[in-house]
Amino acid sequence: MSVHGDSEVLLTPAEVASMFRVDPKTVTRWAKAGKLSSIRTLGGHRRYKESEVQALLGAASDDADHADS
Amino acid sequence: MSVHGDSEVLLTPAEVASMFRVDPKTVTRWAKAGKLSSIRTLGGHRRYKESEVQALLGAASDDADHADS
DNA sequence: TGTTATTTGGGTAATTCGGGTG
DNA sequence: CCTGTCCGAATTACCCAAATAA
């Protein structure tokens, strides 16, 4: 393993926004709302875990009605 | 810029609606009916894969007669 | 040390959601 | 069966200037 410790890949707000096709400001709102965990740089900028973002993105569904058989 | 490149491009409901010349509401119905897969933002808004939309748009059919299979 | 791009923060329009109706 | 529209509520997008990141 490297000196960076584990494979903790951090993403910038622009990266996350691009992946969700939303505005970077929206990602900031998600972080403020506690919907997405964020790590702060010493200057106050936010960074997001790629693993968490990927997990949320994987929530793609067809949203079809699968009530009956 | 980083070379993180998004693996898939997502479209907003308005974008898809414009491409099909229908109301965004209709696109939502397609997603609800399972005819179109959708990814949700953390706020609940839907995003659609451009590749899937393009595939459907390119699925030009002659519409001759599809009564029997 | 300086330059360029990004992020932050607050406030206001535009879009989308969901259900119900024609 | 499929689509367009109305409503209220929620979410998201764009405006600015200043600070941070690389």
Side-chain angles (χ1 to χ4, degrees), chain A residues 11 16 19-20 35-37 48-61, chain B residues 39-40 42:
Chain A
L11 300 175
V16 180
M19 295 165 75
F20 275 97
K35 295 177 180 175
L36 184 62
S37 59
Y48 306 92
K49 298 181 188 176
E50 182 183 36
S51 57
E52 186 174 354
V53 173
Q54 290 288 0
L56 291 169
L57 269 176
S61 91
Chain B
I39 294 175
R40 298 277 203 150
L42 299 194

mmCIF file of all heavy atoms in Angstrom, chain A residues 11 16 19-20 35-37 48-61, chain B residues 39-40 42:
data_model
loop_
_atom_site.group_PDB
_atom_site.id
_atom_site.type_symbol
_atom_site.label_atom_id
_atom_site.label_comp_id
_atom_site.label_asym_id
_atom_site.label_seq_id
_atom_site.Cartn_x
_atom_site.Cartn_y
_atom_site.Cartn_z
ATOM 1 N N LEU A 11 -13.067 13.046 -4.448
ATOM 2 C CA LEU A 11 -13.517 13.754 -5.657
ATOM 3 C C LEU A 11 -13.842 15.201 -5.334
ATOM 4 O O LEU A 11 -14.286 15.520 -4.234
ATOM 5 C CB LEU A 11 -14.764 13.074 -6.225
ATOM 6 C CG LEU A 11 -14.607 11.609 -6.645
ATOM 7 C CD1 LEU A 11 -15.951 11.049 -7.068
ATOM 8 C CD2 LEU A 11 -13.592 11.481 -7.758
ATOM 9 N N VAL A 16 -18.113 15.338 -8.848
ATOM 10 C CA VAL A 16 -19.369 14.726 -8.407
ATOM 11 C C VAL A 16 -20.545 15.301 -9.178
ATOM 12 O O VAL A 16 -21.434 14.571 -9.620
ATOM 13 C CB VAL A 16 -19.580 14.939 -6.900
ATOM 14 C CG1 VAL A 16 -20.886 14.299 -6.438
ATOM 15 C CG2 VAL A 16 -18.395 14.375 -6.121
ATOM 16 N N MET A 19 -20.807 13.797 -12.558
ATOM 17 C CA MET A 19 -21.292 12.412 -12.560
ATOM 18 C C MET A 19 -22.808 12.341 -12.379
ATOM 19 O O MET A 19 -23.456 11.458 -12.918
ATOM 20 C CB MET A 19 -20.592 11.632 -11.451
ATOM 21 C CG MET A 19 -19.085 11.496 -11.684
ATOM 22 S SD MET A 19 -18.190 10.963 -10.219
ATOM 23 C CE MET A 19 -18.629 9.238 -10.159
ATOM 24 N N PHE A 20 -23.370 13.275 -11.637
ATOM 25 C CA PHE A 20 -24.823 13.269 -11.401
ATOM 26 C C PHE A 20 -25.573 14.171 -12.380
ATOM 27 O O PHE A 20 -26.787 14.236 -12.344
ATOM 28 C CB PHE A 20 -25.134 13.749 -9.976
ATOM 29 C CG PHE A 20 -25.067 12.662 -8.948
ATOM 30 C CD1 PHE A 20 -23.923 12.478 -8.188
ATOM 31 C CD2 PHE A 20 -26.140 11.809 -8.737
ATOM 32 C CE1 PHE A 20 -23.854 11.477 -7.226
ATOM 33 C CE2 PHE A 20 -26.094 10.811 -7.781
ATOM 34 C CZ PHE A 20 -24.936 10.639 -7.026
ATOM 35 N N LYS A 35 -26.886 14.378 3.234
ATOM 36 C CA LYS A 35 -27.185 13.265 2.327
ATOM 37 C C LYS A 35 -25.904 12.664 1.776
ATOM 38 O O LYS A 35 -25.905 11.555 1.239
ATOM 39 C CB LYS A 35 -28.054 13.762 1.162
ATOM 40 C CG LYS A 35 -29.416 14.237 1.608
ATOM 41 C CD LYS A 35 -30.200 14.776 0.416
ATOM 42 C CE LYS A 35 -31.573 15.264 0.841
ATOM 43 N NZ LYS A 35 -32.309 15.899 -0.281
ATOM 44 N N LEU A 36 -24.828 13.428 1.866
ATOM 45 C CA LEU A 36 -23.530 12.985 1.348
ATOM 46 C C LEU A 36 -22.444 13.419 2.321
ATOM 47 O O LEU A 36 -22.384 14.582 2.708
ATOM 48 C CB LEU A 36 -23.316 13.613 -0.037
ATOM 49 C CG LEU A 36 -22.064 13.221 -0.805
ATOM 50 C CD1 LEU A 36 -22.047 11.737 -1.115
ATOM 51 C CD2 LEU A 36 -22.006 14.024 -2.090
ATOM 52 N N SER A 37 -21.619 12.475 2.747
ATOM 53 C CA SER A 37 -20.559 12.826 3.698
ATOM 54 C C SER A 37 -19.453 13.575 2.969
ATOM 55 O O SER A 37 -19.101 13.246 1.839
ATOM 56 C CB SER A 37 -20.007 11.570 4.360
ATOM 57 O OG SER A 37 -19.492 10.686 3.395
ATOM 58 N N TYR A 48 -15.243 14.679 -1.689
ATOM 59 C CA TYR A 48 -16.188 13.578 -1.484
ATOM 60 C C TYR A 48 -15.536 12.229 -1.813
ATOM 61 O O TYR A 48 -14.682 12.143 -2.680
ATOM 62 C CB TYR A 48 -17.417 13.793 -2.355
ATOM 63 C CG TYR A 48 -18.049 15.145 -2.147
ATOM 64 C CD1 TYR A 48 -17.689 16.232 -2.949
ATOM 65 C CD2 TYR A 48 -18.982 15.357 -1.139
ATOM 66 C CE1 TYR A 48 -18.254 17.483 -2.752
ATOM 67 C CE2 TYR A 48 -19.551 16.606 -0.940
ATOM 68 C CZ TYR A 48 -19.177 17.659 -1.751
ATOM 69 O OH TYR A 48 -19.730 18.901 -1.553
ATOM 70 N N LYS A 49 -15.972 11.199 -1.121
ATOM 71 C CA LYS A 49 -15.422 9.863 -1.352
ATOM 72 C C LYS A 49 -16.017 9.267 -2.619
ATOM 73 O O LYS A 49 -17.236 9.216 -2.770
ATOM 74 C CB LYS A 49 -15.761 8.947 -0.162
ATOM 75 C CG LYS A 49 -15.184 9.395 1.148
ATOM 76 C CD LYS A 49 -15.562 8.405 2.246
ATOM 77 C CE LYS A 49 -15.170 8.917 3.619
ATOM 78 N NZ LYS A 49 -15.631 8.005 4.697
ATOM 79 N N GLU A 50 -15.119 8.816 -3.481
ATOM 80 C CA GLU A 50 -15.589 8.232 -4.734
ATOM 81 C C GLU A 50 -16.441 6.998 -4.480
ATOM 82 O O GLU A 50 -17.443 6.765 -5.156
ATOM 83 C CB GLU A 50 -14.393 7.860 -5.611
ATOM 84 C CG GLU A 50 -14.840 7.291 -6.945
ATOM 85 C CD GLU A 50 -13.668 6.843 -7.796
ATOM 86 O OE1 GLU A 50 -12.681 6.338 -7.227
ATOM 87 O OE2 GLU A 50 -13.747 6.991 -9.019
ATOM 88 N N SER A 51 -16.045 6.199 -3.503
ATOM 89 C CA SER A 51 -16.796 4.971 -3.216
ATOM 90 C C SER A 51 -18.241 5.279 -2.844
ATOM 91 O O SER A 51 -19.160 4.579 -3.260
ATOM 92 C CB SER A 51 -16.116 4.208 -2.073
ATOM 93 O OG SER A 51 -15.998 5.022 -0.929
ATOM 94 N N GLU A 52 -18.423 6.327 -2.074
ATOM 95 C CA GLU A 52 -19.780 6.687 -1.660
ATOM 96 C C GLU A 52 -20.585 7.224 -2.841
ATOM 97 O O GLU A 52 -21.761 6.892 -3.000
ATOM 98 C CB GLU A 52 -19.712 7.743 -0.548
ATOM 99 C CG GLU A 52 -21.071 8.076 0.034
ATOM 100 C CD GLU A 52 -20.967 9.006 1.233
ATOM 101 O OE1 GLU A 52 -19.834 9.285 1.669
ATOM 102 O OE2 GLU A 52 -22.017 9.449 1.719
ATOM 103 N N VAL A 53 -19.941 8.026 -3.651
ATOM 104 C CA VAL A 53 -20.618 8.586 -4.824
ATOM 105 C C VAL A 53 -21.016 7.473 -5.789
ATOM 106 O O VAL A 53 -22.132 7.454 -6.305
ATOM 107 C CB VAL A 53 -19.698 9.596 -5.540
ATOM 108 C CG1 VAL A 53 -20.329 10.063 -6.850
ATOM 109 C CG2 VAL A 53 -19.419 10.788 -4.642
ATOM 110 N N GLN A 54 -20.088 6.545 -5.997
ATOM 111 C CA GLN A 54 -20.376 5.432 -6.899
ATOM 112 C C GLN A 54 -21.543 4.605 -6.396
ATOM 113 O O GLN A 54 -22.400 4.169 -7.170
ATOM 114 C CB GLN A 54 -19.138 4.539 -7.049
ATOM 115 C CG GLN A 54 -18.010 5.183 -7.836
ATOM 116 C CD GLN A 54 -18.326 5.284 -9.321
ATOM 117 O OE1 GLN A 54 -19.382 4.872 -9.770
ATOM 118 N NE2 GLN A 54 -17.399 5.857 -10.063
ATOM 119 N N ALA A 55 -21.581 4.407 -5.099
ATOM 120 C CA ALA A 55 -22.673 3.620 -4.506
ATOM 121 C C ALA A 55 -24.015 4.305 -4.743
ATOM 122 O O ALA A 55 -25.005 3.656 -5.058
ATOM 123 C CB ALA A 55 -22.427 3.444 -3.018
ATOM 124 N N LEU A 56 -24.030 5.621 -4.614
ATOM 125 C CA LEU A 56 -25.276 6.357 -4.808
ATOM 126 C C LEU A 56 -25.668 6.377 -6.280
ATOM 127 O O LEU A 56 -26.838 6.330 -6.620
ATOM 128 C CB LEU A 56 -25.115 7.789 -4.295
ATOM 129 C CG LEU A 56 -24.986 7.892 -2.778
ATOM 130 C CD1 LEU A 56 -24.560 9.298 -2.376
ATOM 131 C CD2 LEU A 56 -26.305 7.524 -2.119
ATOM 132 N N LEU A 57 -24.686 6.444 -7.139
ATOM 133 C CA LEU A 57 -24.969 6.448 -8.574
ATOM 134 C C LEU A 57 -25.506 5.101 -9.033
ATOM 135 O O LEU A 57 -26.305 5.022 -9.952
ATOM 136 C CB LEU A 57 -23.693 6.767 -9.348
ATOM 137 C CG LEU A 57 -23.428 8.220 -9.658
ATOM 138 C CD1 LEU A 57 -22.083 8.369 -10.329
ATOM 139 C CD2 LEU A 57 -24.528 8.761 -10.539
ATOM 140 N N GLY A 58 -25.056 4.062 -8.370
ATOM 141 C CA GLY A 58 -25.491 2.714 -8.759
ATOM 142 C C GLY A 58 -26.946 2.457 -8.458
ATOM 143 O O GLY A 58 -27.484 1.428 -8.829
ATOM 144 N N ALA A 59 -27.594 3.420 -7.849
ATOM 145 C CA ALA A 59 -29.005 3.248 -7.505
ATOM 146 C C ALA A 59 -29.909 3.425 -8.706
ATOM 147 O O ALA A 59 -31.028 3.862 -8.586
ATOM 148 C CB ALA A 59 -29.397 4.257 -6.422
ATOM 149 N N ALA A 60 -29.424 3.087 -9.893
ATOM 150 C CA ALA A 60 -30.241 3.192 -11.095
ATOM 151 C C ALA A 60 -31.302 2.109 -11.070
ATOM 152 O O ALA A 60 -31.021 0.949 -10.821
ATOM 153 C CB ALA A 60 -29.374 3.042 -12.335
ATOM 154 N N SER A 61 -32.511 2.533 -11.344
ATOM 155 C CA SER A 61 -33.606 1.559 -11.339
ATOM 156 C C SER A 61 -34.601 1.869 -12.430
ATOM 157 O O SER A 61 -34.684 2.981 -12.908
ATOM 158 C CB SER A 61 -34.287 1.557 -9.991
ATOM 159 O OG SER A 61 -35.338 2.455 -9.957
ATOM 160 N N ILE B 39 -31.777 7.315 -13.367
ATOM 161 C CA ILE B 39 -30.953 7.459 -12.172
ATOM 162 C C ILE B 39 -31.482 8.663 -11.424
ATOM 163 O O ILE B 39 -31.810 9.679 -12.027
ATOM 164 C CB ILE B 39 -29.473 7.663 -12.565
ATOM 165 C CG1 ILE B 39 -28.946 6.386 -13.223
ATOM 166 C CG2 ILE B 39 -28.642 8.025 -11.349
ATOM 167 C CD1 ILE B 39 -27.536 6.524 -13.742
ATOM 168 N N ARG B 40 -31.586 8.543 -10.115
ATOM 169 C CA ARG B 40 -32.144 9.640 -9.321
ATOM 170 C C ARG B 40 -31.051 10.470 -8.669
ATOM 171 O O ARG B 40 -30.076 9.939 -8.162
ATOM 172 C CB ARG B 40 -33.027 9.051 -8.219
ATOM 173 C CG ARG B 40 -34.211 8.262 -8.730
ATOM 174 C CD ARG B 40 -35.372 9.166 -9.087
ATOM 175 N NE ARG B 40 -36.623 8.420 -9.045
ATOM 176 C CZ ARG B 40 -37.798 8.967 -8.732
ATOM 177 N NH1 ARG B 40 -37.860 10.230 -8.446
ATOM 178 N NH2 ARG B 40 -38.887 8.237 -8.731
ATOM 179 N N LEU B 42 -29.892 12.948 -5.521
ATOM 180 C CA LEU B 42 -30.188 12.757 -4.099
ATOM 181 C C LEU B 42 -31.439 13.524 -3.704
ATOM 182 O O LEU B 42 -31.992 13.335 -2.630
ATOM 183 C CB LEU B 42 -28.997 13.219 -3.265
ATOM 184 C CG LEU B 42 -27.696 12.443 -3.531
ATOM 185 C CD1 LEU B 42 -26.686 12.736 -2.438
ATOM 186 C CD2 LEU B 42 -27.972 10.953 -3.603
#
